[in-house]
Amino acid sequence: MTIKVAPSILSADYINLQKDLELIEAAGAEFVHIDVMDGMFVPSISYGPAWVKALRPVTNMVLDVHLMVEQPERYIDVFAEAGSDIIGVHYEATPHIHRALQQIKNHGIKAEVVINPGTSVAAIEPVLHMVDQVLVMTVNPGFGGQKFLPETLEKIARLAEIKREKGYDFDIEIDGGANDETTKLAYEAGATVAVAGSYVFDKVDPAAKIARLKEVTSD
């Protein structure tokens, strides 16, 4: 078993995005990660639901939509209807995280809870029974190209422990600073999915980078 790779289109070539998608899918990437940013929850601004709708017909990869937005409940329905397979919402972005996750599940798609580096696993324990994926931010959200925060490995390990204790089967995803070394550490701690943006799309050889992530996490 190896880690599932989720290249982030935040670092892809926007003008030739379909070509990049075809390349990473052929290389074995299972997910494509779509970072939605509203300029409020994080400083940057990025994609709306029209991007998801445009990407859906051109790839068979899982569309992994990460809402870095205030009050994500306002946008869940439109992103679900656009063709998302997974929608992730930040614990920190809403006082009603349980309701937001229910809203996602009501569309028949996978629900993900996301935590920032400053948020503990204990904060999301009450909703872990209802999620399909937990995203541990391994950098502060909002910008690509940051360095992996090693202290987040403890949170990954704690989530893996809870999975074993409770019999849960959610994926544990990391986002930020992923490369062959940090992804290996996260995988050993219990991560099952790695978001990789600048590491994959550095214009050298994206397919080789995906293969490398698979290689270093092979059992």
Side-chain angles (χ1 to χ4, degrees):
M1 183 177 176
T2 63
I3 204 156
K4 289 176 274 192
V5 180
S8 170
I9 62 169
L10 198 62
S11 300
D13 181 350
Y14 293 0
I15 303 300
N16 299 290
L17 188 53
Q18 184 172 351
K19 181 180 176 182
D20 274 358
L21 289 179
E22 291 169 352
L23 189 157
I24 61 174
E25 186 167 6
E30 292 89 351
F31 295 6
V32 56
H33 193 76
I34 304 167
D35 289 304
V36 177
M37 300 183 283
D38 65 354
M40 296 175 65
F41 184 70
V42 293
S44 301
I45 297 174
S46 68
Y47 323 102
W51 281 76
V52 176
K53 187 175 182 179
L55 294 176
R56 180 69 285 167
V58 299
T59 182
N60 292 315
M61 289 183 290
V62 171
L63 297 186
D64 180 20
V65 176
H66 175 193
L67 298 183
M68 287 181 273
V69 302
E70 293 284 356
Q71 300 176 18
E73 299 94 329
R74 297 176 297 160
Y75 302 106
I76 287 169
D77 293 345
V78 291
F79 275 98
E81 291 160 6
S84 305
D85 294 302
I86 302 171
I87 294 179
V89 290
H90 275 259
Y91 167 82
E92 306 86 0
T94 173
H96 301 292
I97 189 63
H98 188 284
R99 185 167 68 195
L101 293 168
Q102 276 187 329
Q103 188 179 350
I104 298 167
K105 300 288 277 186
N106 286 343
H107 284 278
I109 62 177
K110 293 184 176 181
E112 171 187 74
V113 63
V114 189
I115 51 174
N116 283 336
T119 300
S120 69
V121 170
I124 59 169
E125 281 197 58
V127 298
L128 289 179
H129 69 282
M130 65 189 299
V131 302
D132 302 284
Q133 189 160 279
V134 179
L135 173 52
V136 176
M137 291 301 304
T138 45
V139 298
N140 284 298
F143 301 98
Q146 299 182 67
K147 290 186 177 180
F148 184 94
L149 297 171
E151 59 267 29
T152 59
L153 291 169
E154 292 183 17
K155 291 199 277 190
I156 297 165
R158 175 58 185 147
L159 285 164
E161 182 181 33
I162 292 171
K163 281 179 66 175
R164 290 191 297 270
E165 290 174 350
K166 301 284 190 179
Y168 296 154
D169 62 355
F170 54 77
D171 273 314
I172 301 172
E173 184 174 47
I174 61 164
D175 185 358
N179 56 38
D180 51 353
E181 295 177 3
T182 58
T183 299
K184 186 175 189 296
L185 292 172
Y187 180 76
E188 290 170 348
T192 56
V193 184
V195 176
S198 53
Y199 175 77
V200 168
F201 292 116
D202 65 357
K203 310 307 178 190
V204 177
D205 189 346
K209 294 296 183 65
I210 291 169
R212 180 62 178 159
L213 292 178
K214 298 283 189 182
E215 178 187 351
V216 299
T217 59
S218 59
D219 293 331

